[in-house]
Amino acid sequence: MIQAQSYLNVADNSGAKELMCIRVLGGGKQATIGDTIIAVVKEAAPNMNVKKSDVVRAVVVRTRKSVRRESGMLIRFDENAAVVITNEGNPRGTRVFGPVARELRERNFTKIISLAPEVL
């Protein structure tokens, strides 16, 4: 569960390395896999298009809190991670690192699914 002030790693090559959530979009106080958040970049790589202290939109792709599937299976990751997206919902980076959850397909983030090396 991601809430305001939560730190997330960035799972793409947009230039950001660490985000801090400042708002969960779509109602509710907590975000889970597939939810969109507004975050501020806390750490960034030099000479990239996303700079430190930029306010960005991101979609949560991995959480430490387990997510229950329809089949009854629980899925949990080792870290909280997000992918920086544009206002249209497309990723700002050209690559996605690490596994992502299948729940993103139900939320119509098919571009992120296609860029990911592994879908769990």
Side-chain angles (χ1 to χ4, degrees):
M1 297 290 177
I2 307 299
Q3 59 188 7
Q5 305 292 315
S6 294
Y7 276 71
L8 301 96
N9 295 332
V10 178
D12 64 12
N13 64 346
S14 60
K17 291 187 176 175
E18 191 174 50
L19 301 176
M20 183 181 76
C21 176
I22 55 176
R23 172 73 75 215
V24 176
L25 297 179
K29 291 185 176 223
Q30 298 171 332
T32 185
I33 293 174
D35 287 344
T36 304
I37 62 171
I38 295 182
V40 63
V41 178
K42 286 296 188 178
E43 194 177 322
N47 305 323
M48 297 295 282
N49 56 359
V50 177
K51 305 279 189 266
K52 186 177 175 184
S53 76
D54 282 357
V55 177
V56 296
R57 280 179 182 250
V59 59
V60 179
V61 295
R62 293 192 289 271
T63 59
R64 291 275 299 143
K65 175 71 177 161
S66 55
V67 176
R68 188 172 203 85
R69 292 203 168 145
E70 292 288 326
S71 63
M73 185 186 351
L74 292 172
I75 184 163
R76 181 174 63 204
F77 295 95
D78 290 338
E79 62 177 358
N80 295 324
V83 171
V84 180
I85 58 172
T86 62
N87 288 337
E88 291 81 44
N90 294 322
R92 299 241 322 237
T94 56
R95 294 177 63 197
V96 174
F97 305 117
V100 298
R102 191 175 296 122
E103 281 79 2
L104 292 174
R105 184 174 283 129
E106 299 155 12
R107 305 284 185 101
N108 292 328
F109 290 110
T110 52
K111 183 76 171 162
I112 295 172
I113 293 280
S114 65
L115 292 173
E118 187 177 3
V119 179
L120 297 178

